[in-house]
Amino acid sequence: MQSLRPSSTSYGGAYTAALSQLVFSAIAQAASDSLTIFGSETAYTSELVMWATKQTQAFALLVKRHALASSAAAGGLRAAAECVQIALGHCSLLEARGLALCPVLLKLFRPSVEQALDANLKRIEESTAALAAADDWVLTFPPMGTRHSSTAFQHKLTSSAHRFNLMIQDFFEDVGPLLSMQLGGQTLEGLFQVFNSYVNVLIKALPGSMDEEANFEGSGNKIVRMAETEAQQIALLANASLLADELLPRAAMKLAPLNQSNYKGDSRRRSTDRQNRHPEQREWKRRLVGSVDRLKDTFCRQHALDLIFTEDGDSHLTADMYINMDGNVDDVEWFPSLIFQELYVKLNRMASLAADMFVGRERFATLLLMRLTETVILWLSEDQSFWDDIEDGPKPLGPLGLQQFYLDMKFVICFASQGRYLSRNLHRVVNEIISKAMAAYAATGIDPYSELPEDDWFNEVCQEAMERLSGKPKAINGDRDPNSPTASVSAQSISSVRSLGST
């Protein structure tokens, strides 16, 4: 063993193979000789096991010093893994002679492989963050000729996400030793942290993202190119969602099959591991999706704030819009308020962009539009100063203001329903908002239902608004002028309010 010296240029695997051949064939020969001379005498068998263990430990220390240490420090996970696999392959042959020495090797090799694992993940994290500084946030197919460019990986991502994906696929090329050392869970955790760090980079690329969110540990000073346009910002979500939903879980499935392991643990433990690993991966995927949700929430919050506030910090959505209508307006042209028009136009524009970017994953696009609509409506629901003014003055909500407010909420229900992103939660919150406004109006002593036109009128105004805002021509309806409420307001007019409230 001492005479076998690796040169500084030689490949660690070759040294490991030569040393393994020498050591484990000698142990095998000793086991054979011991059996011939002493038979199965317990005392001598025990002596043989102690001696073989000592030789295996000496072997492992030499492999660590001459082959594993340098590759582990450099993050050469594959080189380290290969050395471990070679050693385990030779060592496992002794099991037929009753010598189970693989656990001895695994215990001694594990710290080096952990070091290589950590260094590898760190390199992926740093490389991806550096690439984000030059990413133009435009979705493209992977460059031709890249490894892994099989049909399974023909997804549109931006340049930094393509590189991230390729590095992860390479990382999982040889996971046998990670399984055999029970490092599957640690690998998944490390990969989650790397992905989470990339999501932080994507959050930082959103204009106006809050400093405390973006200034995450380890990458606080990294420069990230801003995603200025809506298309670029939606591309950030396309990156994160595709990686979390499909690409990373597919790569991590290589950690599931235990037959890649050279370490033959007892069959009971293997079957237990097999049962336990899939729930572990499901929980891991849930965490990945949770990380994407942080990006989605930041995206929705910023777009909601852009709609609600001016650059000077004034609000486009105030109680004054409604309480000042009565007494100040002679001839009302009924149409949804400007902020809700802008919300509808923005959602339409995003839906069109998302249709191109989320082909085959339309559900993600629908959930994004649902979340953005909810963010605006929840803000209105929770804006205490808005409700203080509606409920307590400076002056009470009048019939025109109530009608405009009801129209705005009806408009949200209409376009969300038409776009198929009317969630139960959104429906519930809109109903609660309408009920609060009705209660505030009823507090003046007047029945709010007596002031509202029939539901058909609201539906017609909303439909015309959607047609006009989306540029579609409206069919001429000679029987009805949708810009003037019906003169007679019957008991039927309240049916929708009541049915809406009971939904």
Side-chain angles (χ1 to χ4, degrees):
M1 287 166 73
Q2 294 301 332
S3 65
L4 202 64
R5 285 269 179 261
S7 72
S8 58
T9 56
S10 72
Y11 165 56
Y15 171 73
T16 305
L19 196 61
S20 298
Q21 177 67 31
L22 178 74
V23 172
F24 294 115
S25 61
I27 293 175
Q29 186 61 53
S32 183
D33 292 348
S34 177
L35 189 64
T36 304
I37 299 168
F38 305 114
S40 54
E41 182 75 33
T42 311
Y44 293 114
T45 307
S46 172
E47 193 75 22
L48 173 74
V49 170
M50 285 169 62
W51 171 81
T53 302
K54 196 173 174 184
Q55 297 308 314
T56 302
Q57 288 169 337
F59 159 81
L61 292 172
L62 281 173
V63 171
K64 280 179 74 171
R65 186 183 310 145
H66 296 304
L68 278 182
S70 56
S71 57
L77 184 62
R78 192 167 306 158
E82 202 155 312
C83 290
V84 173
Q85 289 288 60
I86 290 166
L88 288 172
H90 284 274
C91 185
S92 63
L93 297 174
L94 295 173
E95 289 180 11
R97 298 175 185 272
L99 289 169
L101 295 169
C102 286
V104 177
L105 280 186
L106 288 167
K107 186 178 177 184
L108 291 165
F109 285 159
R110 185 182 172 111
S112 296
V113 177
E114 284 180 330
Q115 187 186 2
L117 175 64
D118 292 344
N120 214 292
L121 291 167
K122 191 73 183 164
R123 191 176 66 225
I124 294 173
E125 182 179 330
E126 289 176 348
S127 299
T128 310
L131 288 162
D135 201 326
D136 58 6
W137 308 120
V138 173
L139 296 178
T140 59
F141 286 112
M144 291 302 291
T146 51
R147 295 178 63 224
H148 306 291
S149 59
S150 64
T151 51
F153 297 102
Q154 292 301 309
H155 292 289
K156 288 175 101 171
L157 296 164
T158 74
S159 59
S160 64
H162 275 307
R163 188 77 195 108
F164 181 81
N165 182 39
L166 283 173
M167 287 189 285
I168 294 298
Q169 304 303 330
D170 281 345
F171 171 79
F172 277 109
E173 281 294 295
D174 187 356
V175 292
L178 300 176
L179 287 171
S180 59
M181 289 183 214
Q182 307 297 308
L183 282 171
Q186 197 167 323
T187 303
L188 287 178
E189 179 57 33
L191 189 54
F192 169 74
Q193 296 301 339
V194 170
F195 175 71
N196 202 42
S197 177
Y198 182 51
V199 169
N200 286 336
V201 169
L202 299 179
I203 288 174
K204 202 172 180 184
L206 287 168
S209 61
M210 295 180 182
D211 291 340
E212 61 268 23
E213 279 184 45
N215 197 12
F216 46 89
E217 187 182 349
S219 301
N221 299 322
K222 292 238 170 33
I223 297 166
V224 179
R225 182 181 286 193
M226 283 291 130
E228 301 289 354
T229 67
E230 280 178 2
Q232 288 174 315
Q233 290 161 26
I234 294 172
L236 302 177
L237 288 157
N239 279 347
S241 64
L242 188 58
L243 285 165
D245 289 340
E246 292 184 37
L247 300 178
L248 297 187
R250 184 186 298 153
M253 280 309 290
K254 291 179 183 174
L255 283 171
L258 284 145
N259 57 8
Q260 292 191 27
S261 166
N262 278 328
Y263 173 36
K264 308 285 194 296
D266 68 68
S267 59
R268 277 175 309 176
R269 190 169 79 187
R270 285 211 304 278
S271 71
T272 306
D273 278 355
R274 192 175 289 114
Q275 289 161 11
N276 291 344
R277 180 156 281 110
H278 293 297
E280 182 184 69
Q281 292 208 338
R282 283 198 293 275
E283 175 56 30
W284 177 73
K285 185 175 175 181
R286 272 197 293 273
R287 290 176 70 203
L288 293 180
V289 171
S291 195
V292 179
D293 281 344
R294 284 196 304 114
L295 174 65
K296 197 193 289 185
D297 286 342
T298 307
F299 173 93
C300 291
R301 187 166 61 248
Q302 284 174 209
H303 280 279
L305 292 174
D306 284 348
L307 278 169
I308 295 165
F309 291 103
T310 66
E311 286 184 9
D312 300 330
D314 297 324
S315 178
H316 289 301
L317 185 51
T318 63
D320 290 349
M321 289 163 43
Y322 302 106
I323 58 181
N324 289 337
M325 279 186 75
D326 290 83
N328 292 334
V329 182
D330 296 328
D331 187 21
V332 180
E333 184 189 349
W334 291 103
F335 210 65
S337 298
L338 188 59
I339 183 170
F340 296 105
Q341 293 177 42
E342 288 176 354
L343 174 60
Y344 173 68
V345 170
K346 183 186 274 279
L347 289 163
N348 258 11
R349 195 166 57 235
M350 286 187 177
S352 174
L353 289 168
D356 294 334
M357 294 188 187
F358 294 95
V359 177
R361 295 187 306 124
E362 287 77 10
R363 179 166 167 70
F364 183 88
T366 301
L367 291 172
L368 175 65
L369 299 173
M370 194 183 285
R371 182 81 61 93
L372 178 53
T373 313
E374 283 180 4
T375 305
V376 174
I377 297 305
L378 282 168
W379 191 91
L380 171 62
S381 167
E382 293 163 8
D383 181 7
Q384 199 52 50
S385 63
F386 179 93
W387 291 107
D388 286 347
D389 287 350
I390 290 286
E391 289 164 355
D392 302 323
K395 59 182 184 180
L397 185 65
L400 295 180
L402 175 67
Q403 194 166 317
Q404 181 67 53
F405 187 76
Y406 187 82
L407 171 61
D408 288 344
M409 293 301 102
K410 192 78 175 165
F411 183 54
V412 171
I413 292 283
C414 276
F415 69 63
S417 177
Q418 188 182 67
R420 295 190 182 152
Y421 42 87
L422 178 59
S423 66
R424 280 200 190 92
N425 188 43
L426 178 61
H427 209 278
R428 179 183 60 77
V429 175
V430 169
N431 288 342
E432 287 171 1
I433 287 173
I434 289 173
S435 298
K436 278 172 84 172
M438 296 288 231
Y441 188 83
T444 63
I446 306 169
D447 177 9
Y449 298 111
S450 68
E451 303 293 348
L452 292 173
E454 293 180 25
D455 239 25
D456 288 350
W457 176 81
F458 284 107
N459 288 333
E460 218 171 306
V461 175
C462 291
Q463 202 56 47
E464 190 202 2
M466 288 191 285
E467 286 164 354
R468 272 168 60 181
L469 291 168
S470 58
K472 295 174 186 164
K474 177 166 174 25
I476 294 168
N477 179 351
D479 299 334
R480 195 155 172 74
D481 175 7
N483 288 333
S484 62
T486 45
S488 64
V489 179
S490 67
Q492 303 240 322
S493 66
I494 66 172
S495 63
S496 71
V497 183
R498 287 186 176 145
S499 64
L500 195 63
S502 63
T503 304

